[in-house]
Amino acid sequence: MGSALTTIGLPVALGIIMFGLGLSLTLRDFARVAKQPKAVVIALACQLIVLPVICFGLVVLFRLPPILAVGMMMLAASPGGTTANLYSHLFRGDIALNISLTAVNSVIAVFTLPLITNLAIAYFDPFDGALGMQWAKTLEVFAIVLLPVALGMLVRHFWPGFAKRMDKPVRIVSVIVLVVVIGGAVASNWQLLIDNFGRLAAITILFCLISLAVGYWVPRLFRVGRRQAVASSFEIGIHNATLAIVIAQTVMGSVELSLPAAVYGVLMFFVAFAFGFVIRGKAGVEEREEDGDAAPDAEPEASASRA
């Protein structure tokens, strides 16, 4: 039962999620990248270069066993999850930027995820000299990630009314299927998960926090707008844990490899929610400071008008 849930249920659940993403995308979402090049380039640089380097440092610092170390690196290489759009909406981020980043990131991840995973396998050697993700498995990643998205985009293009009506039901179904499948997978591997939860909880929480912080403050450092920084934060900080789990269990055939993503997938919701309130409070302080700076300039004008 657990094996069937993993080999059939997880890919189906991810396929529904990615199809739902495709229903919300048009070619304009890819073209929009050209209108906000600085925000997009900075976010992608953080996602594709900074985070894998940080994750590697954490893995070495925490001295994770090789198989879990590779699982963490695979998680770091995964693109942003569709949940990032929801968090961006809740905390007043630029949702259009989120959608564009998710679209571009999903395409790039087809190449970068196998590359980073193979580098991690070569370095940590969890499979006793066995080769990593070969070309055929890379094609599987391509099929898992992009084909459902492309199908969703085609439906949106040719039947926009149907796509609009189906958007919410597909989201609901994907959540229900995902909960059932992951619940079954967790139940069938309960002892393995419990044995490793303690050592993975700290590193996944820290990685999530650092990802969110990098996603917000690096764009702000380069004078990207606050709403764009919020979108970048959640896009970079909320990884597609489901994708990492599917690749680990169905493409690579290792439940243990998927454990970092499984633990992260549970804890990230709480971490991201708390971080959202932190940056919302920070935004309030910034707005009050800006109002305070503007106040002295207003007084001479008021005095002049009274004179």
Side-chain angles (χ1 to χ4, degrees):
M1 178 65 179
S3 177
L5 278 169
T6 298
T7 56
I8 299 172
L10 269 175
V12 168
L14 181 65
I16 295 172
I17 291 170
M18 301 309 283
F19 176 73
L21 172 62
L23 288 178
S24 67
L25 290 178
T26 66
L27 291 177
R28 288 193 303 273
D29 295 314
F30 291 89
R32 193 187 295 120
V33 168
K35 297 179 181 178
Q36 296 178 309
K38 185 162 83 166
V40 171
V41 168
I42 291 170
L44 289 178
C46 290
Q47 176 84 50
L48 301 173
I49 300 170
V50 177
L51 287 195
V53 171
I54 289 172
C55 186
F56 178 79
L58 289 174
V59 163
V60 172
L61 180 66
F62 278 77
R63 298 181 180 179
L64 287 186
I67 190 76
L68 298 181
V70 173
M72 277 298 300
M73 294 303 296
M74 183 183 289
L75 174 66
S78 299
T82 52
T83 314
N85 299 351
L86 172 61
Y87 277 87
S88 189
H89 173 70
L90 285 174
F91 295 103
R92 299 179 183 178
D94 185 341
I95 300 174
L97 177 61
N98 272 108
I99 293 171
S100 298
L101 283 172
T102 301
V104 173
N105 228 340
S106 296
V107 174
I108 295 175
V110 171
F111 306 98
T112 57
L113 199 155
L115 174 64
I116 291 172
T117 301
N118 277 338
L119 287 173
I121 289 171
Y123 183 86
F124 294 107
D125 193 21
F127 305 126
D128 296 325
L131 295 175
M133 194 180 293
Q134 299 305 295
W135 177 242
K137 292 182 178 180
T138 302
L139 288 178
E140 284 186 54
V141 175
F142 173 83
I144 288 168
V145 175
L146 292 188
L147 290 185
V149 174
L151 181 61
M153 290 182 68
L154 285 173
V155 171
R156 167 79 181 261
H157 179 75
F158 289 106
W159 300 284
F162 175 76
K164 189 174 181 180
R165 290 194 303 273
M166 288 300 295
D167 183 55
K168 190 172 181 180
V170 167
R171 288 174 189 268
I172 293 170
V173 169
S174 66
V175 170
I176 293 171
V177 172
L178 187 59
V179 168
V180 171
V181 169
I182 290 182
V186 166
S188 62
N189 298 284
W190 180 252
Q191 194 57 50
L192 185 62
L193 186 62
I194 290 298
D195 291 343
N196 290 278
F197 188 88
R199 68 169 60 174
L200 288 172
I203 190 172
T204 50
I205 289 173
L206 187 56
F207 177 63
C208 187
L209 273 173
I210 292 174
S211 300
L212 290 162
V214 165
Y216 182 79
W217 273 290
V218 170
R220 293 297 280 156
L221 190 65
F222 286 91
R223 300 186 181 280
V224 170
R226 198 194 72 81
R227 291 184 68 240
Q228 287 72 40
V230 171
S232 170
S233 174
F234 290 118
E235 192 66 34
I236 291 168
I238 299 178
H239 295 266
N240 192 337
T242 310
L243 174 61
I245 292 169
V246 169
I247 292 174
Q249 294 195 18
T250 63
V251 178
M252 303 296 290
S254 172
V255 172
E256 202 171 356
L257 191 64
S258 71
L259 291 177
V263 174
Y264 171 90
V266 173
L267 297 176
M268 72 174 183
F269 293 107
F270 306 102
V271 177
F273 200 66
F275 187 84
F277 281 103
V278 170
I279 58 175
R280 191 164 76 173
K282 174 75 174 171
V285 171
E286 288 176 356
E287 288 170 4
R288 286 193 295 272
E289 286 176 351
E290 288 171 4
D291 291 342
D293 292 340
D297 297 331
E299 288 178 6
E301 292 179 10
S303 301
S305 63
R306 284 195 298 270

